[in-house]
Every structure is written in C-alpha cells, then in structure tokens.
Amino acid sequence: DAGITQSPRHKVTETGTPVTLRCHQTENHRYMYWYRQDPGHGLRLIHYSYGVKDTDKGEVSDGYSVSRSKTEDFLLTLESATSSQTSVYFCAIRKQGLLSGNTIYFGEGSWLTVV
Amino acid sequence: TQLLEQSPQFLSIQEGENLTVYCNSSSVFSSLQWYRQEPGEGPVLLVTVVTGGEVKKLKRLTFQFGDARKDSSLHITAAQPGDTGLYLCAGASAGGTSYGKLTFGQGTILTVHP
C-alpha cells in the first residue's frame, strides 16, 4: 500500500464538460504520474510531476492539464471532455530505493465515462 | 519513443501447466517491472529487476532480465486459477533524466482453468 487515494472512483459526464480527477498521497513522494489504460494499449502516460508546481507532458497529453500546488495532491483536468477520453485513469507515485531502482505504485483507478 | 512488445496477448491454459510471458524491446532499460492487475483494480507490483541477467523468484513465478537489459520474461510453474489476471511489464528509461517514467507493454491476459 503506497498511500494513494483517487477520487472520484467512478464518474459519468457529458461531452464538453470539464472534469477533474484528484490523486492524494500520504507519503510525501516527489514524483507523481497520471496514466490512462485502454484495451490493447496497456498504460500510457498522460502527465507527470517531479515536484510542487513542476509538471511535464507524457505521451498522450492532448486534452489534459494537471496541477500540483502541494506535494500530496496531483490533479488531472479534462478541460472539455470528449468520448475518446472515456478510460480508466490511474495515478501513481514513485518510490526510489538504492537496490530496487525506480518502483512505481498505482492507485486503484478512476473510471470515467464521457457520454 | 521506446516500445515494449509483450507476448502473447492472450493465454488460456489448464491448471498445472507452465507458461512464459515475454517482453521485448530494442531499447535499453535501467530497470523493468512486472505487474499483475485484476479487474476493477490498479496494477500491483510483483517484482523489479535492475541488473542485466538478473533472475528473481517469487514462489512459482520466475522473472528474468536480459543480459542487455532490453528484454524480460515471466515464467509461471504449475499455474493455478488464482494466477488468472492481466500481467504487465514496464520499463524505466536508461540514462538521462527520465523522472521515473515507465513504458508499458500491451499486457497479457492469463486465464487458468481448473
């Protein structure tokens, strides 16, 4: 358990509406990530953060923005939701160990349906 | 862009059989992780391999990292129905500042029939 909480866990929204997903962590990790998971694509990185107010784009960032105003929270916003953004969204944090290298732990996911 | 090719995509076997899942790339990774995911849940880390040629065992699961750190395999001995799930490999970029970003394979859906 890496102390990650995602909210909401399930949401149905209409096309064109804004949506914000929240990721909250309790262990003060510097690195946080948002991935989406779709059939046949595995998990793909949307945005990531390497510190408060330090964020960057991943491979599928179009249509998404993020914010990290404090260490424990990483927000993912869909400014104007589209049906192609129907997906399962996973937040993740990075734990770094001398022997284990980069170890990423995932939250339980947020299921988003855009109708 | 780094790619990880995972195979097979689907695997349906009988209880007691052995199986191997492969993860291949033309890129070098600093580490490679294997995850197992059940429906409705997030991926759960099984193992991280860091050193080329490394072999790690987790009960009936054996993980191997290729000598060149470009490929990995997961071998399950005497599969059980409880092993059913989605298995994902993920590589962390080697060199430079990768910020811990992972490249995922497409996943292998394993079904073990009693």
Side-chain angles (χ1 to χ4, degrees), chain A residues 9 30-31 33 35 37 40-45 48 50 56-59 90 94 99-109 111, chain B residues 1 9 30-31 33 35 37 39-45 48 50 56 86 88 92-93 97-107:
Chain A
R9 294 291 314 281
R30 178 183 174 190
Y31 295 91
Y33 312 85
Y35 286 85
Q37 185 175 32
H41 291 278
L43 283 94
R44 293 178 292 173
L45 182 64
Y48 63 100
Y50 45 96
D56 206 347
K57 297 178 180 180
E59 61 178 302
F90 289 99
R94 172 187 172 187
L99 299 178
S100 61
N102 290 333
T103 303
I104 309 297
Y105 292 89
F106 288 86
E108 295 185 326
W111 274 252
Chain B
T1 302
Q9 190 173 354
S30 62
S31 66
Q33 301 176 16
Y35 292 85
Q37 185 179 18
E41 300 181 5
V44 175
L45 181 69
T48 300
V50 179
K56 280 191 175 179
L86 172 65
L88 295 157
S93 301
T97 305
S98 68
Y99 296 109
K101 294 179 289 182
L102 293 177
T103 298
F104 279 85
Q106 304 95 318

Short mmCIF file of all heavy atoms in Angstrom, two decimals, chain A residues 9 30-31 33 35 37 40-45 48 50 56-59 90 94 99-109 111, chain B residues 1 9 30-31 33 35 37 39-45 48 50 56 86 88 92-93 97-107:
data_model
loop_
_atom_site.label_atom_id
_atom_site.label_comp_id
_atom_site.label_asym_id
_atom_site.label_seq_id
_atom_site.Cartn_x
_atom_site.Cartn_y
_atom_site.Cartn_z
N ARG A 9 -13.92 7.69 -7.85
CA ARG A 9 -13.58 6.37 -8.38
C ARG A 9 -14.37 6.07 -9.65
O ARG A 9 -13.89 5.36 -10.52
CB ARG A 9 -13.86 5.29 -7.34
CG ARG A 9 -12.99 5.37 -6.09
CD ARG A 9 -11.52 5.01 -6.40
NE ARG A 9 -11.36 3.83 -7.22
CZ ARG A 9 -11.46 2.59 -6.78
NH1 ARG A 9 -11.71 2.36 -5.51
NH2 ARG A 9 -11.30 1.56 -7.62
N ARG A 30 7.99 12.64 -4.11
CA ARG A 30 8.22 13.77 -5.01
C ARG A 30 7.56 13.56 -6.38
O ARG A 30 7.03 14.49 -6.98
CB ARG A 30 9.72 13.97 -5.18
CG ARG A 30 10.09 15.08 -6.12
CD ARG A 30 11.60 15.17 -6.29
NE ARG A 30 11.95 16.16 -7.30
CZ ARG A 30 13.18 16.31 -7.79
NH1 ARG A 30 14.16 15.54 -7.36
NH2 ARG A 30 13.41 17.21 -8.71
N TYR A 31 7.66 12.33 -6.90
CA TYR A 31 7.20 12.07 -8.26
C TYR A 31 5.78 11.49 -8.26
O TYR A 31 5.51 10.52 -7.55
CB TYR A 31 8.13 11.09 -8.96
CG TYR A 31 9.52 11.62 -9.18
CD1 TYR A 31 10.52 11.43 -8.23
CD2 TYR A 31 9.84 12.33 -10.35
CE1 TYR A 31 11.80 11.92 -8.43
CE2 TYR A 31 11.11 12.81 -10.55
CZ TYR A 31 12.09 12.61 -9.59
OH TYR A 31 13.35 13.10 -9.79
N TYR A 33 2.33 10.61 -11.11
CA TYR A 33 2.03 10.39 -12.52
C TYR A 33 0.53 10.17 -12.71
O TYR A 33 -0.15 9.67 -11.83
CB TYR A 33 2.76 9.12 -13.03
CG TYR A 33 4.22 9.07 -12.66
CD1 TYR A 33 4.62 8.58 -11.41
CD2 TYR A 33 5.21 9.52 -13.54
CE1 TYR A 33 5.96 8.53 -11.06
CE2 TYR A 33 6.55 9.46 -13.18
CZ TYR A 33 6.91 8.97 -11.95
OH TYR A 33 8.23 8.94 -11.60
N TYR A 35 -1.71 8.08 -15.58
CA TYR A 35 -1.75 7.18 -16.72
C TYR A 35 -3.21 6.93 -17.08
O TYR A 35 -4.10 7.01 -16.24
CB TYR A 35 -1.11 5.82 -16.39
CG TYR A 35 0.39 5.81 -16.29
CD1 TYR A 35 1.03 6.16 -15.11
CD2 TYR A 35 1.17 5.43 -17.37
CE1 TYR A 35 2.42 6.13 -15.01
CE2 TYR A 35 2.56 5.39 -17.29
CZ TYR A 35 3.17 5.74 -16.11
OH TYR A 35 4.55 5.71 -16.01
N GLN A 37 -5.55 3.83 -19.08
CA GLN A 37 -5.48 2.44 -19.54
C GLN A 37 -6.65 2.15 -20.45
O GLN A 37 -7.81 2.34 -20.08
CB GLN A 37 -5.49 1.47 -18.36
CG GLN A 37 -5.29 0.02 -18.77
CD GLN A 37 -5.18 -0.91 -17.58
OE1 GLN A 37 -5.79 -0.69 -16.53
NE2 GLN A 37 -4.39 -1.98 -17.71
N GLY A 40 -5.81 -2.99 -25.29
CA GLY A 40 -4.85 -3.07 -26.39
C GLY A 40 -3.72 -2.06 -26.33
O GLY A 40 -2.82 -2.09 -27.17
N HIS A 41 -3.77 -1.16 -25.35
CA HIS A 41 -2.72 -0.12 -25.26
C HIS A 41 -1.92 -0.17 -23.98
O HIS A 41 -1.01 0.62 -23.79
CB HIS A 41 -3.36 1.27 -25.39
CG HIS A 41 -3.90 1.57 -26.74
ND1 HIS A 41 -3.12 2.01 -27.79
CD2 HIS A 41 -5.15 1.49 -27.22
CE1 HIS A 41 -3.86 2.20 -28.85
NE2 HIS A 41 -5.11 1.89 -28.54
N GLY A 42 -2.25 -1.06 -23.09
CA GLY A 42 -1.57 -1.05 -21.81
C GLY A 42 -1.85 0.25 -21.08
O GLY A 42 -2.94 0.82 -21.17
N LEU A 43 -0.87 0.76 -20.38
CA LEU A 43 -0.99 2.05 -19.71
C LEU A 43 -0.14 3.07 -20.44
O LEU A 43 1.01 2.78 -20.79
CB LEU A 43 -0.54 1.96 -18.25
CG LEU A 43 -1.55 1.30 -17.30
CD1 LEU A 43 -1.24 -0.18 -17.17
CD2 LEU A 43 -1.50 1.97 -15.94
N ARG A 44 -0.68 4.25 -20.62
CA ARG A 44 0.04 5.31 -21.31
C ARG A 44 0.09 6.55 -20.42
O ARG A 44 -0.91 6.93 -19.82
CB ARG A 44 -0.63 5.63 -22.64
CG ARG A 44 -0.53 4.51 -23.66
CD ARG A 44 -1.26 4.86 -24.95
NE ARG A 44 -2.70 4.94 -24.76
CZ ARG A 44 -3.55 5.35 -25.70
NH1 ARG A 44 -3.10 5.71 -26.89
NH2 ARG A 44 -4.84 5.39 -25.46
N LEU A 45 1.25 7.17 -20.39
CA LEU A 45 1.49 8.30 -19.51
C LEU A 45 0.86 9.56 -20.07
O LEU A 45 1.09 9.94 -21.22
CB LEU A 45 3.00 8.49 -19.33
CG LEU A 45 3.43 9.61 -18.39
CD1 LEU A 45 2.98 9.32 -16.96
CD2 LEU A 45 4.95 9.78 -18.46
N TYR A 48 3.12 14.02 -15.80
CA TYR A 48 3.78 13.64 -14.57
C TYR A 48 4.29 14.89 -13.86
O TYR A 48 4.34 15.99 -14.44
CB TYR A 48 4.94 12.66 -14.83
CG TYR A 48 6.05 13.22 -15.68
CD1 TYR A 48 7.23 13.69 -15.10
CD2 TYR A 48 5.95 13.22 -17.07
CE1 TYR A 48 8.26 14.18 -15.89
CE2 TYR A 48 6.97 13.72 -17.86
CZ TYR A 48 8.12 14.18 -17.27
OH TYR A 48 9.14 14.67 -18.05
N TYR A 50 7.34 16.25 -10.98
CA TYR A 50 8.58 15.95 -10.26
C TYR A 50 8.78 16.91 -9.10
O TYR A 50 9.89 17.06 -8.58
CB TYR A 50 9.79 15.94 -11.19
CG TYR A 50 9.86 17.08 -12.15
CD1 TYR A 50 10.63 18.21 -11.86
CD2 TYR A 50 9.20 17.05 -13.37
CE1 TYR A 50 10.72 19.26 -12.75
CE2 TYR A 50 9.27 18.10 -14.27
CZ TYR A 50 10.03 19.21 -13.95
OH TYR A 50 10.11 20.26 -14.83
N ASP A 56 5.15 17.99 -16.36
CA ASP A 56 5.53 17.88 -17.77
C ASP A 56 4.60 16.91 -18.45
O ASP A 56 3.89 16.13 -17.80
CB ASP A 56 6.98 17.44 -17.91
CG ASP A 56 7.60 17.89 -19.22
OD1 ASP A 56 6.84 18.35 -20.12
OD2 ASP A 56 8.83 17.78 -19.37
N LYS A 57 4.63 16.95 -19.79
CA LYS A 57 3.72 16.13 -20.57
C LYS A 57 4.26 14.72 -20.76
O LYS A 57 5.47 14.51 -20.86
CB LYS A 57 3.51 16.77 -21.95
CG LYS A 57 2.85 18.13 -21.90
CD LYS A 57 2.74 18.72 -23.31
CE LYS A 57 2.08 20.09 -23.28
NZ LYS A 57 1.97 20.68 -24.64
N GLY A 58 3.31 13.78 -20.86
CA GLY A 58 3.65 12.42 -21.23
C GLY A 58 3.32 12.20 -22.69
O GLY A 58 3.24 13.15 -23.47
N GLU A 59 3.11 10.94 -23.06
CA GLU A 59 2.92 10.63 -24.48
C GLU A 59 1.52 10.91 -24.99
O GLU A 59 1.31 11.02 -26.20
CB GLU A 59 3.27 9.15 -24.73
CG GLU A 59 2.41 8.17 -23.97
CD GLU A 59 2.76 6.72 -24.29
OE1 GLU A 59 2.69 6.34 -25.46
OE2 GLU A 59 3.08 5.97 -23.35
N PHE A 90 -5.28 6.07 -13.91
CA PHE A 90 -4.52 5.65 -12.74
C PHE A 90 -3.51 6.70 -12.35
O PHE A 90 -2.75 7.19 -13.19
CB PHE A 90 -3.80 4.33 -13.00
CG PHE A 90 -4.72 3.14 -13.08
CD1 PHE A 90 -5.13 2.64 -14.30
CD2 PHE A 90 -5.16 2.53 -11.92
CE1 PHE A 90 -5.99 1.55 -14.37
CE2 PHE A 90 -6.01 1.44 -11.98
CZ PHE A 90 -6.42 0.95 -13.20
N ARG A 94 6.22 7.37 -7.26
CA ARG A 94 7.50 6.69 -7.41
C ARG A 94 8.19 6.58 -6.06
O ARG A 94 8.33 7.57 -5.35
CB ARG A 94 8.38 7.46 -8.37
CG ARG A 94 9.83 6.97 -8.47
CD ARG A 94 10.63 7.92 -9.32
NE ARG A 94 12.03 7.62 -9.31
CZ ARG A 94 12.97 8.38 -9.86
NH1 ARG A 94 12.62 9.48 -10.48
NH2 ARG A 94 14.23 8.03 -9.81
N LEU A 99 18.61 -0.31 -4.17
CA LEU A 99 18.68 -1.61 -4.83
C LEU A 99 17.54 -1.84 -5.80
O LEU A 99 17.68 -2.59 -6.76
CB LEU A 99 18.71 -2.73 -3.78
CG LEU A 99 19.90 -2.71 -2.82
CD1 LEU A 99 19.77 -3.83 -1.80
CD2 LEU A 99 21.20 -2.84 -3.59
N SER A 100 16.42 -1.21 -5.56
CA SER A 100 15.23 -1.51 -6.36
C SER A 100 15.04 -0.57 -7.54
O SER A 100 14.20 -0.80 -8.38
CB SER A 100 13.99 -1.48 -5.48
OG SER A 100 13.83 -0.19 -4.93
N GLY A 101 15.82 0.50 -7.63
CA GLY A 101 15.66 1.43 -8.73
C GLY A 101 14.32 2.13 -8.68
O GLY A 101 13.78 2.37 -7.60
N ASN A 102 13.79 2.49 -9.86
CA ASN A 102 12.50 3.17 -9.93
C ASN A 102 11.39 2.17 -9.68
O ASN A 102 11.21 1.24 -10.46
CB ASN A 102 12.31 3.78 -11.31
CG ASN A 102 13.22 4.94 -11.55
OD1 ASN A 102 13.64 5.60 -10.61
ND2 ASN A 102 13.56 5.18 -12.79
N THR A 103 10.63 2.34 -8.65
CA THR A 103 9.50 1.48 -8.38
C THR A 103 8.25 2.34 -8.33
O THR A 103 8.16 3.27 -7.54
CB THR A 103 9.66 0.73 -7.05
OG1 THR A 103 10.89 -0.02 -7.10
CG2 THR A 103 8.51 -0.23 -6.84
N ILE A 104 7.33 2.03 -9.20
CA ILE A 104 6.11 2.81 -9.33
C ILE A 104 4.94 2.05 -8.71
O ILE A 104 4.77 0.87 -8.98
CB ILE A 104 5.80 3.10 -10.81
CG1 ILE A 104 7.02 3.70 -11.51
CG2 ILE A 104 4.59 4.02 -10.93
CD1 ILE A 104 7.46 5.03 -10.97
N TYR A 105 4.17 2.73 -7.89
CA TYR A 105 3.00 2.14 -7.26
C TYR A 105 1.76 2.89 -7.73
O TYR A 105 1.76 4.12 -7.82
CB TYR A 105 3.12 2.20 -5.74
CG TYR A 105 4.20 1.31 -5.19
CD1 TYR A 105 5.50 1.78 -5.05
CD2 TYR A 105 3.93 -0.01 -4.83
CE1 TYR A 105 6.51 0.97 -4.56
CE2 TYR A 105 4.94 -0.82 -4.34
CZ TYR A 105 6.22 -0.33 -4.21
OH TYR A 105 7.22 -1.14 -3.73
N PHE A 106 0.71 2.13 -7.99
CA PHE A 106 -0.50 2.69 -8.57
C PHE A 106 -1.64 2.79 -7.58
O PHE A 106 -1.76 1.98 -6.65
CB PHE A 106 -0.96 1.83 -9.75
CG PHE A 106 -0.08 1.96 -10.95
CD1 PHE A 106 1.06 1.19 -11.08
CD2 PHE A 106 -0.38 2.88 -11.95
CE1 PHE A 106 1.89 1.33 -12.19
CE2 PHE A 106 0.44 3.02 -13.05
CZ PHE A 106 1.58 2.25 -13.16
N GLY A 107 -2.49 3.79 -7.82
CA GLY A 107 -3.74 3.87 -7.10
C GLY A 107 -4.73 2.88 -7.67
O GLY A 107 -4.41 2.09 -8.57
N GLU A 108 -5.96 2.94 -7.18
CA GLU A 108 -6.96 1.95 -7.55
C GLU A 108 -7.73 2.32 -8.81
O GLU A 108 -8.52 1.53 -9.29
CB GLU A 108 -7.92 1.72 -6.39
CG GLU A 108 -7.23 1.09 -5.18
CD GLU A 108 -8.21 0.77 -4.08
OE1 GLU A 108 -9.19 1.52 -3.90
OE2 GLU A 108 -7.99 -0.24 -3.38
N GLY A 109 -7.52 3.50 -9.34
CA GLY A 109 -8.13 3.86 -10.61
C GLY A 109 -9.39 4.69 -10.49
O GLY A 109 -10.11 4.61 -9.50
N TRP A 111 -12.70 5.41 -12.95
CA TRP A 111 -13.38 5.03 -14.19
C TRP A 111 -14.19 6.22 -14.69
O TRP A 111 -15.12 6.66 -14.01
CB TRP A 111 -14.30 3.83 -13.92
CG TRP A 111 -13.61 2.51 -14.04
CD1 TRP A 111 -13.75 1.60 -15.02
CD2 TRP A 111 -12.67 1.95 -13.12
NE1 TRP A 111 -12.96 0.51 -14.79
CE2 TRP A 111 -12.28 0.70 -13.63
CE3 TRP A 111 -12.10 2.40 -11.92
CZ2 TRP A 111 -11.36 -0.12 -12.99
CZ3 TRP A 111 -11.18 1.59 -11.27
CH2 TRP A 111 -10.81 0.35 -11.81
N THR B 1 10.79 7.26 -29.26
CA THR B 1 9.82 6.65 -28.36
C THR B 1 10.19 5.19 -28.12
O THR B 1 10.42 4.44 -29.06
CB THR B 1 8.40 6.70 -28.96
OG1 THR B 1 8.05 8.04 -29.23
CG2 THR B 1 7.40 6.09 -27.98
N GLN B 9 -0.52 -11.98 -26.17
CA GLN B 9 -1.52 -11.05 -25.67
C GLN B 9 -2.57 -11.78 -24.84
O GLN B 9 -3.10 -11.24 -23.88
CB GLN B 9 -2.19 -10.32 -26.83
CG GLN B 9 -3.06 -9.16 -26.39
CD GLN B 9 -3.58 -8.36 -27.57
OE1 GLN B 9 -3.22 -8.60 -28.72
NE2 GLN B 9 -4.46 -7.41 -27.30
N SER B 30 16.78 0.89 -17.64
CA SER B 30 17.54 0.86 -16.39
C SER B 30 16.94 -0.15 -15.43
O SER B 30 17.66 -0.68 -14.57
CB SER B 30 17.55 2.25 -15.76
OG SER B 30 16.23 2.65 -15.45
N SER B 31 15.68 -0.39 -15.53
CA SER B 31 15.02 -1.41 -14.71
C SER B 31 13.74 -1.82 -15.40
O SER B 31 13.24 -1.12 -16.29
CB SER B 31 14.71 -0.88 -13.30
OG SER B 31 13.75 0.16 -13.36
N GLN B 33 9.87 -3.67 -14.56
CA GLN B 33 8.93 -4.10 -13.53
C GLN B 33 7.84 -4.96 -14.13
O GLN B 33 7.45 -4.77 -15.28
CB GLN B 33 8.30 -2.88 -12.85
CG GLN B 33 9.34 -1.97 -12.23
CD GLN B 33 8.74 -0.72 -11.64
OE1 GLN B 33 7.55 -0.62 -11.42
NE2 GLN B 33 9.59 0.26 -11.38
N TYR B 35 3.91 -6.28 -13.31
CA TYR B 35 2.72 -6.02 -12.53
C TYR B 35 1.66 -7.07 -12.83
O TYR B 35 1.61 -7.64 -13.92
CB TYR B 35 2.12 -4.65 -12.87
CG TYR B 35 2.95 -3.47 -12.46
CD1 TYR B 35 3.98 -3.00 -13.27
CD2 TYR B 35 2.71 -2.81 -11.26
CE1 TYR B 35 4.74 -1.91 -12.90
CE2 TYR B 35 3.47 -1.71 -10.88
CZ TYR B 35 4.48 -1.28 -11.71
OH TYR B 35 5.24 -0.20 -11.33
N GLN B 37 -2.62 -7.31 -12.56
CA GLN B 37 -3.80 -6.48 -12.36
C GLN B 37 -5.05 -7.34 -12.44
O GLN B 37 -5.21 -8.14 -13.38
CB GLN B 37 -3.86 -5.37 -13.42
CG GLN B 37 -4.99 -4.39 -13.23
CD GLN B 37 -4.97 -3.30 -14.29
OE1 GLN B 37 -4.34 -3.41 -15.34
NE2 GLN B 37 -5.66 -2.19 -14.03
N PRO B 39 -9.40 -7.37 -12.44
CA PRO B 39 -10.47 -6.47 -12.91
C PRO B 39 -10.93 -5.50 -11.82
O PRO B 39 -11.13 -5.90 -10.67
CB PRO B 39 -11.59 -7.45 -13.28
CG PRO B 39 -10.88 -8.70 -13.64
CD PRO B 39 -9.71 -8.78 -12.72
N GLY B 40 -11.04 -4.23 -12.18
CA GLY B 40 -11.52 -3.22 -11.25
C GLY B 40 -10.49 -2.71 -10.27
O GLY B 40 -10.83 -1.94 -9.36
N GLU B 41 -9.27 -3.12 -10.44
CA GLU B 41 -8.22 -2.69 -9.52
C GLU B 41 -7.03 -2.13 -10.28
O GLU B 41 -6.91 -2.31 -11.49
CB GLU B 41 -7.79 -3.86 -8.63
CG GLU B 41 -8.90 -4.43 -7.79
CD GLU B 41 -8.43 -5.57 -6.91
OE1 GLU B 41 -7.22 -5.85 -6.89
OE2 GLU B 41 -9.29 -6.18 -6.25
N GLY B 42 -6.14 -1.46 -9.55
CA GLY B 42 -4.93 -0.96 -10.16
C GLY B 42 -3.86 -2.03 -10.26
O GLY B 42 -3.94 -3.06 -9.58
N PRO B 43 -2.86 -1.83 -11.11
CA PRO B 43 -1.77 -2.80 -11.21
C PRO B 43 -1.03 -2.90 -9.88
O PRO B 43 -0.79 -1.89 -9.21
CB PRO B 43 -0.86 -2.18 -12.29
CG PRO B 43 -1.72 -1.23 -13.03
CD PRO B 43 -2.69 -0.71 -12.05
N VAL B 44 -0.64 -4.11 -9.54
CA VAL B 44 0.10 -4.36 -8.30
C VAL B 44 1.48 -4.87 -8.68
O VAL B 44 1.61 -5.82 -9.45
CB VAL B 44 -0.64 -5.39 -7.43
CG1 VAL B 44 0.20 -5.73 -6.20
CG2 VAL B 44 -2.00 -4.85 -7.00
N LEU B 45 2.48 -4.24 -8.13
CA LEU B 45 3.86 -4.60 -8.45
C LEU B 45 4.20 -6.01 -7.95
O LEU B 45 3.96 -6.35 -6.79
CB LEU B 45 4.81 -3.59 -7.82
CG LEU B 45 6.30 -3.82 -8.07
CD1 LEU B 45 6.63 -3.57 -9.54
CD2 LEU B 45 7.13 -2.92 -7.17
N THR B 48 10.73 -5.97 -9.36
CA THR B 48 11.56 -5.06 -10.13
C THR B 48 12.90 -5.74 -10.37
O THR B 48 13.52 -6.23 -9.43
CB THR B 48 11.79 -3.74 -9.38
OG1 THR B 48 10.54 -3.11 -9.13
CG2 THR B 48 12.66 -2.80 -10.20
N VAL B 50 16.74 -5.11 -12.00
CA VAL B 50 17.58 -3.95 -12.24
C VAL B 50 18.86 -4.32 -13.00
O VAL B 50 19.33 -3.57 -13.85
CB VAL B 50 17.95 -3.27 -10.91
CG1 VAL B 50 18.84 -2.08 -11.13
CG2 VAL B 50 16.69 -2.86 -10.16
N LYS B 56 14.92 -13.38 -10.60
CA LYS B 56 14.25 -13.30 -9.30
C LYS B 56 13.11 -14.30 -9.27
O LYS B 56 12.41 -14.48 -10.27
CB LYS B 56 13.70 -11.88 -9.06
CG LYS B 56 14.75 -10.90 -8.59
CD LYS B 56 14.10 -9.61 -8.11
CE LYS B 56 15.14 -8.67 -7.53
NZ LYS B 56 14.54 -7.39 -7.07
N LEU B 86 -4.34 -9.97 -15.53
CA LEU B 86 -3.60 -9.25 -16.57
C LEU B 86 -2.18 -9.01 -16.05
O LEU B 86 -2.00 -8.46 -14.97
CB LEU B 86 -4.27 -7.90 -16.87
CG LEU B 86 -3.53 -6.94 -17.79
CD1 LEU B 86 -3.42 -7.53 -19.19
CD2 LEU B 86 -4.25 -5.59 -17.84
N LEU B 88 1.46 -7.22 -16.75
CA LEU B 88 2.04 -6.09 -17.47
C LEU B 88 3.53 -5.97 -17.16
O LEU B 88 3.93 -6.08 -16.01
CB LEU B 88 1.36 -4.78 -17.05
CG LEU B 88 -0.12 -4.62 -17.38
CD1 LEU B 88 -0.76 -3.60 -16.46
CD2 LEU B 88 -0.28 -4.19 -18.83
N ALA B 92 11.74 1.23 -17.27
CA ALA B 92 12.16 2.60 -16.94
C ALA B 92 13.35 2.94 -17.82
O ALA B 92 14.28 2.15 -17.97
CB ALA B 92 12.54 2.70 -15.48
N SER B 93 13.33 4.14 -18.40
CA SER B 93 14.36 4.54 -19.35
C SER B 93 15.74 4.55 -18.72
O SER B 93 15.89 4.90 -17.55
CB SER B 93 14.05 5.94 -19.89
OG SER B 93 12.81 5.95 -20.53
N THR B 97 17.65 12.06 -17.63
CA THR B 97 16.67 12.31 -16.58
C THR B 97 15.33 11.79 -17.03
O THR B 97 14.64 12.43 -17.81
CB THR B 97 16.57 13.82 -16.29
OG1 THR B 97 17.87 14.31 -16.00
CG2 THR B 97 15.65 14.07 -15.13
N SER B 98 14.98 10.63 -16.60
CA SER B 98 13.74 10.01 -17.07
C SER B 98 12.57 10.33 -16.16
O SER B 98 11.44 10.07 -16.51
CB SER B 98 13.93 8.50 -17.17
OG SER B 98 14.08 7.95 -15.87
N TYR B 99 12.85 10.84 -14.95
CA TYR B 99 11.81 11.16 -13.97
C TYR B 99 10.96 9.95 -13.61
O TYR B 99 9.82 10.10 -13.20
CB TYR B 99 10.91 12.29 -14.50
CG TYR B 99 11.63 13.59 -14.68
CD1 TYR B 99 11.89 14.08 -15.95
CD2 TYR B 99 12.07 14.33 -13.59
CE1 TYR B 99 12.58 15.27 -16.13
CE2 TYR B 99 12.75 15.52 -13.76
CZ TYR B 99 13.00 15.99 -15.03
OH TYR B 99 13.67 17.17 -15.20
N GLY B 100 11.50 8.76 -13.79
CA GLY B 100 10.77 7.58 -13.39
C GLY B 100 9.65 7.18 -14.32
O GLY B 100 8.81 6.35 -13.98
N LYS B 101 9.60 7.78 -15.51
CA LYS B 101 8.53 7.42 -16.43
C LYS B 101 8.69 5.98 -16.90
O LYS B 101 9.78 5.51 -17.14
CB LYS B 101 8.56 8.36 -17.64
CG LYS B 101 8.22 9.79 -17.29
CD LYS B 101 8.29 10.66 -18.52
CE LYS B 101 9.71 10.87 -18.98
NZ LYS B 101 9.79 11.76 -20.16
N LEU B 102 7.56 5.30 -17.03
CA LEU B 102 7.56 3.92 -17.45
C LEU B 102 6.94 3.76 -18.82
O LEU B 102 5.98 4.45 -19.17
CB LEU B 102 6.78 3.05 -16.47
CG LEU B 102 7.37 2.87 -15.07
CD1 LEU B 102 6.43 2.03 -14.21
CD2 LEU B 102 8.74 2.23 -15.14
N THR B 103 7.50 2.84 -19.59
CA THR B 103 6.91 2.41 -20.85
C THR B 103 6.32 1.03 -20.61
O THR B 103 7.03 0.13 -20.17
CB THR B 103 7.97 2.33 -21.95
OG1 THR B 103 8.53 3.64 -22.16
CG2 THR B 103 7.35 1.84 -23.25
N PHE B 104 5.03 0.90 -20.91
CA PHE B 104 4.34 -0.36 -20.65
C PHE B 104 4.18 -1.20 -21.91
O PHE B 104 4.00 -0.67 -23.01
CB PHE B 104 2.95 -0.09 -20.07
CG PHE B 104 2.95 0.21 -18.61
CD1 PHE B 104 3.19 1.49 -18.15
CD2 PHE B 104 2.73 -0.80 -17.69
CE1 PHE B 104 3.20 1.76 -16.80
CE2 PHE B 104 2.74 -0.54 -16.34
CZ PHE B 104 2.98 0.75 -15.90
N GLY B 105 4.23 -2.51 -21.71
CA GLY B 105 3.80 -3.42 -22.75
C GLY B 105 2.27 -3.43 -22.80
O GLY B 105 1.60 -2.85 -21.94
N GLN B 106 1.74 -4.10 -23.81
CA GLN B 106 0.28 -4.11 -24.01
C GLN B 106 -0.44 -5.00 -23.01
O GLN B 106 -1.66 -4.90 -22.85
CB GLN B 106 -0.06 -4.57 -25.43
CG GLN B 106 0.62 -3.76 -26.51
CD GLN B 106 1.91 -4.42 -26.98
OE1 GLN B 106 2.69 -4.93 -26.18
NE2 GLN B 106 2.13 -4.39 -28.29
N GLY B 107 0.30 -5.87 -22.34
CA GLY B 107 -0.33 -6.73 -21.35
C GLY B 107 -0.62 -8.12 -21.89
O GLY B 107 -0.83 -8.32 -23.09
#
